[in-house]
Amino acid sequence: MTYLVICSVAALAALLTFFSGFGLGTLLLPAFALFFAIEKAVALTAIVHFLNGIFKLALVHRHIDRGVALRFGLPAALGALAGAWLLVNLAGSGIRIDYTLFGRAVSITPPQLVIGVLLLLFAASELRPADGRRGFPASWQMPGGLICGFFGGLAGLQGALRSAFLLNAGLDKAGYVATGAAIAFFIDLSRLSMYAGLIANHHAEFDYVLLGAAVLAALAGSVAGKRFLHKATMPGIRKLVAVLLFAVALGLITGLL
């Protein structure tokens, strides 16, 4: 069941979000969180996201706007280091909140609480009407990179923020996809360098076969996305993602996950 859920989500998310620029991490994090501790789920999601991002970058690299990629990507890499550092330290704090829910003893860790709250906020933003969403001014690219990278490092939720900041960057569709992929590469490379210790601490518990299967599923989804999804405006999918995020967020905050 673990393989079926995670590989299916990885393939579907990579396919549906090839042109939107975000969604793989958003969908895959809750899938991993169903089976692993949240800090481990973030690290596993980052590995899949990073390797799939390299593959996607190879497909579209010719269209990268280098100016935007550097102005946004370098601050994003710094922000990702800060967010990942915070996650690693929260995971190692040893703090737990124990209580009883419906007669069942449950326990919440700081990463569960923080990421659960962020997921709730992200889900709420996904439920907003499409015409109520506005991109940020182009002049906000550097601070936007820091913000996007920080939340990417802390919770793996950087794609939607990145897309909002790139919306008014003057990019055509190909440039938007390629530049977003380049920025995601910066963020993933940065946060994985900080997650290395976390991954090493859980080395014996990692299922590398599952991780490899998820990576391959995501690559297959990206290939399909490049071939078939040249027009992908999917409000129904966004709402489904939001409902899933709400469910997982509540599970994390209450300690049921």
Side-chain angles (χ1 to χ4, degrees):
M1 178 60 74
T2 304
Y3 280 77
L4 178 63
V5 171
I6 289 176
C7 291
S8 297
V9 169
L12 182 63
L15 184 149
L16 292 176
T17 61
F18 187 86
F19 284 99
S20 69
F22 67 93
L24 177 58
T26 304
L27 285 167
L28 197 53
L29 175 60
F32 272 125
L34 292 174
F35 305 102
F36 301 99
I38 188 62
E39 62 272 14
K40 195 192 307 183
V42 171
L44 286 166
T45 301
I47 294 171
V48 177
H49 195 275
F50 174 65
L51 295 175
N52 183 70
I54 291 176
F55 181 71
K56 181 177 177 180
L57 201 54
L59 295 175
V60 298
H61 69 278
R62 295 180 182 178
H63 303 287
I64 294 172
D65 184 310
R66 289 174 174 78
V68 175
L70 291 174
R71 282 194 302 274
F72 197 101
L74 294 181
L78 293 176
L81 278 177
W85 176 87
L86 180 57
L87 175 66
V88 170
N89 280 273
L90 286 174
S93 67
I95 300 172
R96 304 187 73 88
I97 302 170
D98 299 306
Y99 71 102
T100 301
L101 180 65
F102 302 123
R104 173 186 171 185
V106 294
S107 183
I108 309 171
T109 64
Q112 282 178 289
L113 184 59
V114 170
I115 293 175
V117 170
L118 290 176
L119 286 174
L120 278 178
L121 294 174
F122 188 83
S125 72
E126 286 296 284
L127 289 174
R128 289 173 55 201
D131 58 5
R133 298 186 181 123
R134 297 288 185 271
F136 292 92
S139 60
W140 285 34
Q141 286 177 17
M142 292 185 71
L146 282 170
I147 295 168
C148 174
F150 177 78
F151 286 110
L154 177 59
L157 302 175
Q158 45 100 353
L161 278 172
R162 185 183 68 244
S163 296
F165 280 106
L166 291 182
L167 193 62
N168 294 324
L171 302 170
D172 59 20
K173 189 171 185 177
Y176 170 83
V177 172
T179 305
I183 293 167
F185 172 81
F186 283 128
I187 293 174
D188 286 339
L189 186 64
S190 180
R191 62 178 173 151
L192 279 172
S193 69
M194 189 62 70
Y195 293 159
L198 181 63
I199 294 170
N201 290 340
H202 291 282
H203 175 76
E205 305 169 25
F206 268 62
D207 186 337
Y208 289 97
V209 177
L210 173 62
L211 183 60
V215 170
L216 291 175
L219 296 184
S222 288
V223 170
K226 187 174 190 298
R227 292 187 62 186
F228 300 118
L229 292 184
H230 298 287
K231 296 179 181 178
T233 56
M234 302 182 182
I237 293 296
R238 296 180 72 105
K239 290 179 181 178
L240 181 61
V241 169
V243 171
L244 175 62
L245 291 181
F246 266 121
V248 173
L250 291 174
L252 291 172
I253 292 170
T254 59
L256 294 177
L257 284 179

